[in-house]
Amino acid sequence: MDERIKLAYNYLYDNRLIRNVTDLSKEMRRTRQSVSQALNGNKRYLNKKFVTAFCSAFPGVFNLDWLLTGEGEMLADPQRGPSAPDARTIRTNTADRPHQQQAQSSPAAKGKPYYNVDFALGFDIMENDQTQNPDYLIDFPPYNDCDLFCNAHGDSMQPTISNGDIVALRHVGDISYLINGEIYAIVTTNGLRTIKRVRDNGDTLTLIADNPAVAEQVIPKTAVTHVYHVRGTIKMF
């Protein structure tokens, strides 16, 4: 049930129905702490009563049977939107990259900025001079709610994210609660940049690589200056 509630939370976030867990707690008329505990899988808070209240807070959006048992579709109306919000990867040929005919902006400057710089995937960060002006705009509807695109570098998130992939990033304003298991791009006070799965421990974050050869690392939340939710990737091959 905890994985399904996370998918439902992601749906609300991705579709801008909520901005953060504070918004969700207001919609549910519950304390922020109890909602945060439930989203992190604490069985004391994540129960049938909570899930029913979650569903009732967004009438007509979710299928309560799916939330409780996994039976049926996530959405009450499957035509409303995607039933698998964690399917966030598209593929493109590197030969298309110089021109980006399919993803480049239209004459009306539609799309999100792409910066041809690396957001390093490990703590062995290379310094990059990211200019204020993007190289071009990428117009791809599933990722048009992101804030920017840039490049991935390194192999710590293999096979999910490969060296040279383009990552779609959406800024997270409230870092007091991050969804366990989701992928975030994190900037720390000493200028380091890393993309990892996150386990929120309260005052610290455990950064988890998909590559089993890379060890977990723990950082204090006070060391974090910026957080971006990785909305998806454009795979390069």
Side-chain angles (χ1 to χ4, degrees), residues 13-30:
Y13 176 85
D14 291 345
N15 287 276
R16 296 187 182 272
L17 298 175
I18 58 172
R19 295 167 299 173
N20 47 46
V21 72
T22 301
D23 285 352
L24 178 58
S25 63
K26 289 179 180 178
E27 293 293 333
M28 294 182 64
R29 300 177 182 270
R30 295 199 171 202

Side-chain angles (χ1 to χ4, degrees), residues 81-200:
S83 59
D86 57 338
R88 301 169 181 162
T89 301
I90 63 171
R91 293 182 178 272
T92 186
N93 194 301
T94 51
D96 297 332
R97 186 171 181 176
H99 304 289
Q100 292 289 332
Q101 294 296 326
Q102 295 181 340
Q104 196 171 0
S105 62
S106 67
K110 183 180 180 182
K112 298 298 181 177
Y114 164 70
Y115 297 94
N116 188 21
V117 296
D118 294 334
F119 196 114
L121 295 187
F123 280 94
D124 53 339
I125 305 300
M126 298 186 303
E127 291 294 329
N128 294 293
D129 293 326
Q130 180 168 322
T131 61
Q132 294 298 316
N133 297 319
D135 290 78
Y136 48 79
L137 302 181
I138 294 179
D139 179 20
F140 182 63
Y143 299 158
N144 279 354
D145 65 345
C146 74
D147 293 306
L148 61 95
F149 293 85
C150 64
N151 302 332
H153 174 81
D155 62 1
S156 68
M157 287 301 291
Q158 286 271 28
T160 309
I161 302 175
S162 301
N163 186 51
D165 286 352
I166 295 176
V167 289
L169 305 179
R170 181 176 172 186
H171 183 255
V172 177
D174 179 9
I175 71 167
S176 58
Y177 167 76
L178 300 177
I179 303 175
N180 289 339
E182 285 290 293
I183 301 176
Y184 293 93
I186 294 174
V187 181
T188 62
T189 52
N190 57 357
L192 299 181
R193 301 183 181 97
T194 186
I195 297 178
K196 294 288 189 298
R197 295 191 188 276
V198 164
R199 183 167 63 246
D200 191 336

